[in-house]
C-alpha cells in the first residue's frame, strides 16, 4: 500500500503541482484491512497550480490515470461535485413525486366528496322549496281559521250581551213583581188589621147586647137570634196589644211567595195557622206578658221563663216591637232576629222591607234592620247563630259582640271575636254595608243580592247567605250559590234546613 502513495507524491513533485493543488481535489484516506483489495479506478483531474508568480507563465496542464486497488472506505470522502446549476434544478426527486401524487389523490377524493355534497345539497334545496311552499299554504290556512275563530268569538259576545240584557229585563220585571207583591201584602195586612178591629167591635157589640138583654127583658125575643155572635170572640180572641208593631205578622195561608222560591214550596203542605212551638204557652188575653221590656233578658229576670212573643221597647227610643224570646236556649234571654225553618216566607225583598221587617213572628221572619239597630245600640250584645242540616246535625257560631250602624251608614255590620263549632263564615262580612236587590252596597262590580237572591252584608259576594233561597233536601242545583248556606259548615252548595240568629246582652264584651 505504501508504494502507490510514494509514486503519487513523486509525480506531483515532478509536475510542480503539489503545493498548488485546487481546493476541489478530493483527499481520501484508506485504512489497511485484512480483506483482499479489489481492483478499481480513481480519477483526478483539473489539477492547477495554486500559487504562481506573476512573472512566470502558467505551465501546461497534465492529467493522469492511475489504477489502484479499491479499498474499503472507512472515513470521509471529498468529491468535486461542482456541476451546472441547470442540471441540479432539473434533477427530480422520487420522494417528492410520491408526495405530489399523494396530494393529487387527496385532492381528487375531496373533489369527489364535494361533488356528492353538491348533489345532496341540490336535493335538500328542492325539499326546502317544497317546505316553504307548504308553509305558505299552512299560514294561509291558519289565517283562515283565525278569522273564523274571531268571528265565532264576536258572535258569542253578541249572544252574551243579548243574554245579559235579557237577564236585566227579567230582574227588572222581578223587582216590579216584588214591589207589587209587597203592596199586596201591605194591603192584606191592613185588611187583617181592619178585620181584627171588626172582630173586636163584634165582640163588644155581642157583650153589650148580652148586657142589654139581661137589663131589659123586653129584648128577650131577640135572644134566639144572638147566640152565634156570642161565641165568635172565643176562638179568635182579640189581643189587647194591637199589631202595628214590627215586624208585621201575616197569615201563612195567605202568604204569597216569589216565583224564585215557588218551586221549593209546591211540595210543602199548607201550614196550619200560626201557633207557638210545643212546650210554650200561646199568648192569650190573660197570659200575654204585660211589658214592655228593653230586651228578653230583662223579661227573663222578671220571671218570664216561657219562650214566646214579647213586647220590647229599647232604651232611648219610643219604638215598640214584638220579638220572639227564646228563654230555653242556655242561658236564656235570647232575642230572635232571624229564623229560617220551612221556606214559607220569601226573603228576596227590597230595602224598605228589610228595614221594617217581615214574616211570621212564630215562624220564619226577619226582625228588621231598624229594630236590630235600636236593640244592639242600647248596650253590648253578642250574637248566636244556630245551624241544622238535613241530616239532623246541629252546630253553632257565637260572636262576642254584635251591632249595626244607623241607616245613614246603610246598617254596617260590626261583629267581634268568634268561637263555636260551625266555623267562622261571618267575620269576612265584618264592616260591610247591607245590600238588597234595589240598594247595592257590596264590594262586587255587580249586585250580589241579584245573584244570592236575598239581602245580606255582602262583601264580594258571600261566605254566608242566611237570607237566601230555602232549598229542600240540602244539596241544590242553581246557576249561582243562592241557597241558605254557611260556607264553613257544609259549603256554599248546601242549603241548610234550620237557621236561627239571636242576640243577648253581653256585659263582658271583648272585641
Amino acid at each position: 500500500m505504501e508504494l502507490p502513495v510514494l509514486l503519487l507524491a513523486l509525480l506531483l513533485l515532478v509536475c510542480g503541482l503539489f503545493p498548488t493543488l485546487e481546493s476541489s481535489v478530493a483527499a481520501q484516506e484508506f485504512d489497511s484491512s485484512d480483506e483482499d483489495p479489489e481492483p478499481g479506478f480513481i480519477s483526478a483531474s483539473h489539477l492547477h497550480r495554486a500559487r504562481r508568480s506573476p512573472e512566470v507563465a502558467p505551465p501546461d496542464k497534465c492529467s493522469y490515470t492511475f489504477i489502484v486497488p479499491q479499498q474499503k472506505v472507512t472515513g470521509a470522502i471529498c468529491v468535486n461535485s461542482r456541476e451546472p446549476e441547470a442540471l441540479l434544478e432539473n434533477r427530480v426527486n422520487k420522494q417528492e413525486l410520491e408526495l405530489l401524487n399523494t396530494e393529487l389523490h387527496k385532492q381528487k377524493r375531496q373533489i369527489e366528496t364535494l361533488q356528492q355534497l353538491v348533489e345532496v345539497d341540490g336535493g335538500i334545496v328542492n325539499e326546502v322549496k317544497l317546505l316553504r311552499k307548504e308553509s305558505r299554504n299552512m299560514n294561509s290556512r291558519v289565517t283562515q281559521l283565525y278569522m273564523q275563530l274571531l268571528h265565532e268569538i264576536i258572535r258569542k259576545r253578541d249572544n252574551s250581551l243579548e243574554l245579559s240584557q235579557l237577564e236585566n229585563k227579567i230582574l227588572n220585571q222581578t223587582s216590579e213583581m216584588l214591589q207589587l207583591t209587597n203592596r199586596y201584602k201591605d194591603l192584606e195586612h191592613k185588611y187583617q188589621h181592619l178585620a181584627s178591629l171588626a172582630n173586636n167591635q163584634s165582640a163588644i157589640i155581642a157583650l153589650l147586647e148580652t148586657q142589654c138583654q139581661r137589663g131589659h127583658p123586653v129584648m128577650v125575643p131577640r135572644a134566639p137570634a144572638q147566640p152565634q155572635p156570642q161565641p165568635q170572640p172565643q176562638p179568635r180572641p182579640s189581643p189587647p196589644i194591637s199589631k202595628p208593631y214590627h215586624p208585621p205578622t201575616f197569615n201563612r195561608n195567605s202568604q204569597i211567595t216569589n216565583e224564585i222560591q215557588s218551586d221549593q214550596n209546591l211540595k210543602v203542605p199548607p201550614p196550619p195557622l200560626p201557633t207557638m212551638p210545643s212546650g210554650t204557652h200561646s199568648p192569650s188575653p190573660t197570659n200575654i206578658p204585660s211589658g214592655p221590656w228593653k230586651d228578653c233578658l230583662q223579661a227573663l229576670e222578671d220571671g218570664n221563663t216561657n219562650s214566646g212573643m214579647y213586647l220590647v221597647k229599647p232604651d232611648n227610643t219610643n219604638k215598640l216591637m214584638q220579638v220572639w224570646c227564646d228563654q230555653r236556649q242556655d242561658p236564656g234571654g235570647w232575642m230572635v232576629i232571624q229564623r229560617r225553618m220551612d221556606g214559607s216566607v220569601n226573603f228576596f225583598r227590597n230595602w224598605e222591607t228589610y228595614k221594617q221587617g217581615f214574616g211570621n213572628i212564630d215562624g220564619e221572619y226577619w226582625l228588621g234592620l231598624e229594630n236590630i239597630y235600636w236593640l244592639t245600640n242600647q248596650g253590648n250584645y253578642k250574637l248566636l247563630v244556630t245551624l241544622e242540616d238535613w241530616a239532623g246535625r246541629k252546630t253553632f257560631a257565637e260572636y262576642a259582640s254584635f251591632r249595626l250602624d244607623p241607616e245613614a251608614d246603610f246598617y254596617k255590620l260590626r261583629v267581634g271575636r268568634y268561637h263555636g263549632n260551625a266555623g267562622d263564615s261571618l267575620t269576612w262580612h265584618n264592616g260591610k254595608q247591607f245590600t238588597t236587590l234595589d240598594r247595592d252596597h257590596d264590594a262586587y262590580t255587580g249586585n250580589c243580592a241579584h245573584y244570592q237572591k236575598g239581602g245580606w252584608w255582602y262583601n264580594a259576594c258571600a261566605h254566608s247567605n242566611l237570607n237566601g233561597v230555602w232549598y229542600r233536601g240540602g244539596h241544590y242545583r242553581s246557576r249561582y250559590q243562592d241557597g241558605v248556606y254557611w260556607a264553613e259548615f257544609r259549603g256554599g252548595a248546601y242549603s241548610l234546613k234550620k237557621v236561627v240568629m239571636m242576640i243577648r246582652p253581653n256585659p263582658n264584651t271583648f272585641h
Side-chain angles (χ1 to χ4, degrees):
M1 179 180 177
E2 293 178 357
L3 180 60
V5 174
L6 291 177
L7 290 175
L8 181 58
L10 182 61
L11 289 174
L12 290 173
L13 289 174
V14 172
C15 293
L17 298 175
F18 183 77
T20 60
L21 284 175
E22 188 72 25
S23 61
S24 62
V25 177
Q28 296 181 355
E29 294 182 359
F30 302 95
D31 294 335
S32 60
S33 175
D34 297 335
E35 299 178 357
D36 295 333
E38 297 180 359
F41 297 90
I42 295 177
S43 144
S45 62
H46 304 288
L47 300 177
H48 303 279
R49 188 177 299 271
R51 294 180 183 177
R52 99 181 26 157
S53 123
E55 296 87 2
V56 181
D60 296 333
K61 295 181 180 180
C62 61
S63 60
Y64 297 93
T65 300
F66 299 95
I67 299 174
V68 295
Q70 186 175 359
Q71 301 296 327
K72 182 179 181 180
V73 181
T74 57
I77 299 177
C78 295
V79 180
N80 183 10
S81 61
R82 181 175 296 179
E83 295 180 357
E85 294 180 358
L87 296 176
L88 293 176
E89 292 178 356
N90 294 329
R91 183 177 297 175
V92 178
N93 191 339
K94 184 178 181 180
Q95 185 176 3
E96 291 179 357
L97 288 175
E98 293 178 354
L99 291 174
L100 289 174
N101 289 330
T102 304
E103 290 295 328
L104 287 175
H105 287 301
K106 290 182 179 179
Q107 294 293 332
K108 186 176 180 181
R109 285 196 299 271
Q110 291 180 357
I111 290 172
E112 293 176 353
T113 304
L114 289 175
Q115 288 178 350
Q116 294 177 357
L117 291 175
V118 167
E119 293 176 357
V120 173
D121 290 342
I124 293 175
V125 168
N126 294 330
E127 293 179 359
V128 169
K129 289 181 180 179
L130 292 175
L131 288 175
R132 287 180 179 176
K133 185 176 180 180
E134 292 180 358
S135 176
R136 286 193 295 270
N137 295 334
M138 291 299 294
N139 289 335
S140 62
R141 180 58 178 167
V142 168
T143 303
Q144 183 181 1
L145 292 176
Y146 176 77
M147 295 302 295
Q148 292 178 357
L149 180 61
L150 185 62
H151 178 70
E152 290 294 330
I153 291 174
I154 293 174
R155 187 175 61 82
K156 289 183 179 179
R157 184 175 297 175
D158 294 339
N159 293 338
S160 299
L161 182 60
E162 293 177 359
L163 182 61
S164 177
Q165 293 175 354
L166 182 60
E167 288 180 352
N168 291 332
K169 290 181 181 179
I170 293 174
L171 290 174
N172 293 333
Q173 294 295 330
T174 304
S175 177
E176 293 178 2
M177 185 184 64
L178 288 175
Q179 292 176 0
L180 293 175
T181 303
N182 292 330
R183 290 180 59 186
Y184 173 78
K185 289 180 179 178
D186 292 339
L187 293 175
E188 186 182 22
H189 172 63
K190 292 179 181 179
Y191 171 77
Q192 289 180 357
H193 181 62
L194 292 175
S196 177
L197 293 177
N199 290 333
N200 292 338
Q201 292 177 359
S202 298
I204 294 173
I205 291 172
L207 291 175
L208 290 175
E209 287 181 353
T210 304
Q211 291 178 2
C212 289
Q213 289 174 1
R214 290 176 182 177
H216 301 281
V218 285
M219 300 184 67
V220 173
R222 295 182 59 188
Q226 297 297 328
Q228 292 180 354
Q230 186 173 357
Q232 268 188 347
Q234 299 302 326
R236 299 183 63 181
S238 174
I241 302 173
S242 59
K243 297 184 178 179
Y245 308 111
H246 302 292
T249 304
F250 302 108
N251 192 332
R252 290 186 188 175
N253 289 332
S254 61
Q255 187 74 16
I256 299 177
T257 59
N258 190 280
E259 291 182 359
I260 296 174
Q261 298 184 6
S262 61
D263 58 338
Q264 300 300 318
N265 298 322
L266 289 176
K267 299 179 181 179
V268 181
L273 292 174
T275 56
M276 298 300 172
S278 60
T280 61
H281 299 283
S282 301
S284 65
T286 57
N287 61 7
I288 291 180
S290 60
W293 294 274
K294 71 173 186 178
D295 53 34
C296 294
L297 179 60
Q298 189 180 55
L300 179 64
E301 292 173 350
D302 288 346
N304 297 282
T305 58
N306 294 326
S307 298
M309 183 168 50
Y310 287 77
L311 188 63
V312 172
K313 176 182 175 296
D315 293 341
N316 302 324
T317 182
N318 293 325
K319 190 176 184 62
L320 291 173
M321 62 188 77
Q322 290 177 348
V323 300
W324 186 271
C325 292
D326 189 340
Q327 309 292 29
R328 295 191 174 185
Q329 178 74 33
D330 187 38
W334 294 97
M335 289 185 294
V336 177
I337 63 175
Q338 188 258 23
R339 183 191 293 119
R340 306 296 300 275
M341 54 190 297
D342 54 15
S344 60
V345 176
N346 172 31
F347 274 69
F348 193 27
R349 306 295 187 100
N350 58 13
W351 178 268
E352 189 63 26
T353 309
Y354 265 101
K355 174 184 175 181
Q356 300 298 334
F358 55 89
N360 305 305
I361 194 68
D362 59 340
E364 290 195 342
Y365 84 102
W366 173 258
L367 183 59
L369 293 169
E370 189 69 16
N371 296 333
I372 298 172
Y373 162 71
W374 285 109
L375 287 172
T376 57
N377 281 272
Q378 64 178 340
N380 295 326
Y381 282 80
K382 61 182 177 180
L383 172 68
L384 176 64
V385 181
T386 60
L387 311 168
E388 182 179 348
D389 62 8
W390 290 86
R393 291 176 52 193
K394 298 180 180 180
T395 57
F396 75 95
E398 186 173 320
Y399 295 86
S401 63
F402 172 81
R403 67 180 177 87
L404 299 184
D405 289 347
E407 186 180 11
D409 204 7
F410 306 109
Y411 300 110
K412 185 181 293 183
L413 176 66
R414 306 289 185 181
V415 293
R417 196 170 71 175
Y418 156 84
H419 76 90
N421 58 1
D424 184 8
S425 294
L426 190 60
T427 301
W428 192 63
H429 300 265
N430 189 24
K432 302 303 175 183
Q433 299 170 340
F434 202 83
T435 295
T436 60
L437 60 94
D438 56 342
R439 297 283 186 90
D440 185 5
H441 303 128
D442 54 56
Y444 185 60
T445 55
N447 189 342
C448 290
H450 286 169
Y451 303 107
Q452 304 288 315
K453 301 297 185 296
W456 197 248
W457 297 276
Y458 293 115
N459 188 341
C461 277
H463 284 181
S464 57
N465 188 40
L466 302 186
N467 290 337
V469 182
W470 188 87
Y471 288 99
R472 179 176 298 277
H475 294 287
Y476 63 93
R477 290 184 179 182
S478 177
R479 184 175 182 181
Y480 306 104
Q481 288 187 350
D482 52 7
V484 180
Y485 68 84
W486 189 268
E488 296 296 328
F489 176 59
R490 302 307 301 267
Y494 188 94
S495 185
L496 299 173
K497 182 179 181 181
K498 292 182 180 180
V499 173
V500 180
M501 297 175 64
M502 42 190 159
I503 58 176
R504 184 183 190 276
N506 185 17
N508 300 321
T509 300
F510 53 94
H511 298 276

